[in-house]
Amino acid sequence: MSNRRKFIGQSLVGLSGLALSSHAFANIIVPRQKDKLGVALVGLGYYSRDLLAPALQLTQNCYLAGIVTGTPSKIPEWQQKYNIKDKNVYNYDNYDQLANNPDIDVIYVVLPPSMHAEYSIRAANAGKHVWCEKPMAMSEAECQSMIDAANKNKVKLSIGYRMQHEPNTIQIMRFQKDQTYGKVQKVTVAAGYREGRTDHWKQIKAMGGGVMYDMGVYPLNAARYATGLEPIAVTAKASTTRPEIYHEVEETIVFDLEFPGGATAACEASFGRGMNAMQVDCSNGWYKLEPFSAYSGIDGVTSDGIKLNKPINNEQAKQMDDDAMAIMKKQAVMVPGEEGLKDIRVVEAIYRSAKDGGRVSIG
């Protein structure tokens, strides 16, 4: 996104004040709570264009109200397709003026990981609720700064782990909590696809590239919610089969996690080959999902033949509706910033292990 073009932003409509005389207080009209929250997407790449924007046409509790882009040529198509008002179109120079726009309740940051912290913090400082795509940020310190900004400004911060909103995944978490199949002993989980692009931010280290930040957080997060525990140590190895493309970052990473009580997880993520499966072996049986993190069609079974294939219309729509409802009801979001921070703490340990070639304890 270093070559984002800039343009003159549209003027904003400010909030108007309401003057009240001393005898008018009895006639004050309390504003009705919004039936739907207005969402502004920041970054109009593939995930926003092909997944989030269409999903926002299916949501019940929120809608696409605005966009933020550094590419002016994208604006006409988005405005025409989604009926976005001129005053709700922003660029990266006038981004902070979102604070003055009552149409926008939530800012959804859909940028390369290196930009997550900055634009999430600025969104919180603008007084807007923040949804941030995974991975949350580049470091534990950045994650904490995002949490602090949200708390300071009294707004919600949610991380885009859509799988934790998905019904079959929720069932997996219930199995662990209720010990339906006994104590979790081992989780085996892998996620990957063959990335054909050769000049994408995913190959640039400074922008948050590398498979661990992108696909790697799927098996990492799954290992954590499948065990209900935080890992205490990791051993990792990074590799590539295409060094001409993946010379700054890893194409594939394999990492083994150790949990309190003896549970383990064998995890893998890759930009070099397709894989998408999770199996949880317990003391009294097992259960698995394959695929476990696809955009649709999550499917699974248990050792005693129970099918795990409850359908869902749209994962992204479910995620955003859940988060919007939490905001409107002033309840805790399902996947807060603290959850994203816990993953990034482990990601940093994984990279240390891959670099040094040994077991790394996680404090």
Side-chain angles (χ1 to χ4, degrees):
M1 307 308 172
S2 58
N3 63 344
R4 292 187 183 278
R5 290 168 284 172
K6 300 178 181 179
F7 69 107
I8 299 175
Q10 303 291 342
S11 61
L12 298 173
V13 176
L15 289 168
S16 58
L18 178 64
L20 297 171
S21 62
S22 60
H23 61 274
F25 288 97
N27 297 319
I28 293 177
I29 298 175
V30 178
R32 183 172 61 86
Q33 181 176 334
K34 286 188 174 182
D35 295 325
K36 287 189 174 187
L37 300 182
V39 178
L41 294 176
V42 184
L44 305 184
Y46 159 75
Y47 198 69
S48 286
R49 182 190 68 236
D50 291 2
L51 293 160
L52 293 178
L56 281 162
Q57 311 314 301
L58 305 174
T59 44
Q60 302 299 311
N61 304 324
C62 52
Y63 70 101
L64 179 57
I67 54 175
V68 180
T69 181
T71 308
S73 60
K74 294 181 179 180
I75 295 171
E77 180 182 356
W78 276 75
Q79 284 193 282
Q80 181 178 11
K81 188 172 185 179
Y82 296 113
N83 194 29
I84 297 173
K85 302 173 183 177
D86 287 346
K87 71 185 184 74
N88 292 348
V89 176
Y90 293 83
N91 58 55
Y92 296 100
D93 289 334
N94 64 14
Y95 179 79
D96 300 311
Q97 294 178 31
L98 279 157
N100 304 315
N101 192 334
D103 289 353
I104 308 301
D105 302 289
V106 179
I107 295 176
Y108 198 151
V109 178
V110 197
L111 295 166
S114 62
M115 304 171 77
H116 285 185
E118 176 187 350
Y119 284 91
S120 295
I121 291 168
R122 289 169 66 181
N125 288 339
K128 305 300 182 180
H129 300 288
V130 185
W131 297 345
C132 179
E133 254 315 300
K134 61 83 190 163
M136 183 174 175
M138 297 284 287
S139 67
E140 185 179 349
E142 285 188 346
C143 293
Q144 188 61 56
S145 69
M146 294 163 66
I147 294 169
D148 292 343
N151 290 338
K152 176 183 176 182
N153 291 284
K154 296 180 171 57
V155 297
K156 302 284 189 184
L157 169 62
S158 184
I159 310 306
Y161 283 106
R162 60 191 160 76
M163 301 319 302
Q164 293 202 30
H165 300 259
E166 193 274 329
N168 301 291
T169 305
I170 291 172
Q171 183 60 64
I172 290 290
M173 290 188 274
R174 287 199 192 105
F175 285 159
Q176 178 277 317
K177 184 177 180 181
D178 298 340
Q179 292 203 357
T180 308
Y181 294 87
K183 183 180 178 182
V184 173
Q185 296 178 331
K186 183 176 182 179
V187 180
T188 306
V189 56
Y193 70 98
R194 186 165 181 83
E195 175 59 73
R197 293 169 292 189
T198 61
D199 59 351
H200 194 262
W201 63 260
K202 292 183 181 183
Q203 286 106 31
I204 302 174
K205 184 176 182 179
M207 297 184 76
V211 75
M212 188 62 229
Y213 278 118
D214 188 62
M215 296 303 291
V217 292
Y218 284 114
L220 168 56
N221 198 250
R224 289 181 50 246
Y225 63 63
T227 60
L229 299 168
E230 298 304 323
I232 57 175
V234 62
T235 304
K237 182 179 180 181
S239 62
T240 180
T241 62
R242 294 177 287 174
E244 70 280 7
I245 301 171
Y246 293 93
H247 52 88
E248 288 189 6
V249 298
E250 76 285 351
E251 178 189 44
T252 296
I253 194 155
V254 177
F255 56 100
D256 295 323
L257 300 171
E258 302 170 30
F259 293 91
T264 61
C267 307
E268 183 176 2
S270 182
F271 284 147
R273 67 186 183 92
M275 48 187 171
N276 200 312
M278 172 174 65
Q279 177 156 329
V280 184
D281 293 307
C282 306
S283 55
N284 298 322
W286 53 263
Y287 37 92
K288 63 181 180 180
L289 293 176
E290 186 173 2
F292 84 98
S293 64
Y295 290 145
S296 62
I298 305 304
D299 192 26
V301 68
T302 70
S303 54
D304 53 354
I306 296 174
K307 299 294 185 182
L308 302 173
N309 56 5
K310 185 176 181 179
I312 184 173
N313 184 33
N314 185 287
E315 292 176 2
Q316 285 81 6
K318 178 67 163 57
Q319 168 200 325
M320 292 186 286
D321 264 342
D322 286 348
D323 287 338
M325 182 59 72
I327 291 169
M328 290 190 287
K329 290 189 173 183
K330 298 182 179 180
Q331 298 175 342
V333 295
M334 291 179 66
V335 191
E338 288 78 5
E339 176 73 359
L341 182 150
K342 289 174 182 177
D343 268 356
I344 296 303
R345 176 181 296 139
V346 181
V347 168
E348 291 189 291
I350 289 170
Y351 275 127
R352 290 197 299 272
S353 175
K355 180 181 178 180
D356 299 335
R359 179 179 181 272
V360 172
S361 296
I362 303 171

